[in-house]
Amino acid sequence: NTNIGQGLVSVTPIQMAVSVSSIFNGGKIMKPYIVDNIQDQYGNVLKKFQPEEVRKVEIEDKNFQIIRDSMEKAVRDSDGTLRKLSSIKYKVWGKTGTATAPVEIQGKQYDAPHAWVTGVFEYKGKKYTFVINIAHGGWGEGALDVIKGFLEKI
């Protein structure tokens, strides 16, 4: 059951973003970066960050295409788990998830699952990966309103 994200799978949001983006770029595992560049107070670029391929997952593109098609159906199909995103004017692919991880924090027990939604959207000819994780936020669909609100504003 671990190959569908169940069981003892443990990932951070950035690891999930790297994984999902590899599905859309032919298996390339890219080094993540948070900022595009660093500037001084005058706007001079001191350092520019560039995409950097770390390695490549050797999987036939037809298999990546099956995953991409499934992620698109999750948005476009009337019974898809991401159907709330079907009204977005950009093309969106995605997957919801629910992670159960009961934990005790400062003597209080938290049993609600973590809500996940991850995917890709296309904007001005480029694809962007997103990951929303709401700790103890309920089922995966609970994170949909966050990404929907963001996508509606761009």
Side-chain angles (χ1 to χ4, degrees), residues 64-102:
F64 283 126
Q65 190 60 48
I66 291 168
I67 298 168
R68 291 189 294 263
D69 290 345
S70 298
M71 291 175 75
E72 183 178 7
K73 287 179 182 179
V75 175
R76 300 288 170 223
D77 286 1
S78 61
D79 60 346
T81 57
L82 284 97
R83 62 190 168 278
K84 281 184 175 182
L85 302 180
S86 64
S87 63
I88 300 300
K89 59 184 172 183
Y90 312 108
K91 189 163 185 179
V92 181
W93 300 259
K95 172 75 176 88
T96 59
T98 305
T100 54

Side-chain angles (χ1 to χ4, degrees), residues 88 90-93 119-123 126-130 147 150-151 154:
I88 300 300
Y90 312 108
K91 189 163 185 179
V92 181
W93 300 259
V120 171
F121 66 94
E122 194 165 48
Y123 178 70
K126 291 186 175 183
K127 289 184 175 73
Y128 298 88
T129 302
F130 63 87
I147 191 62
F150 172 79
L151 292 173
I154 60 170

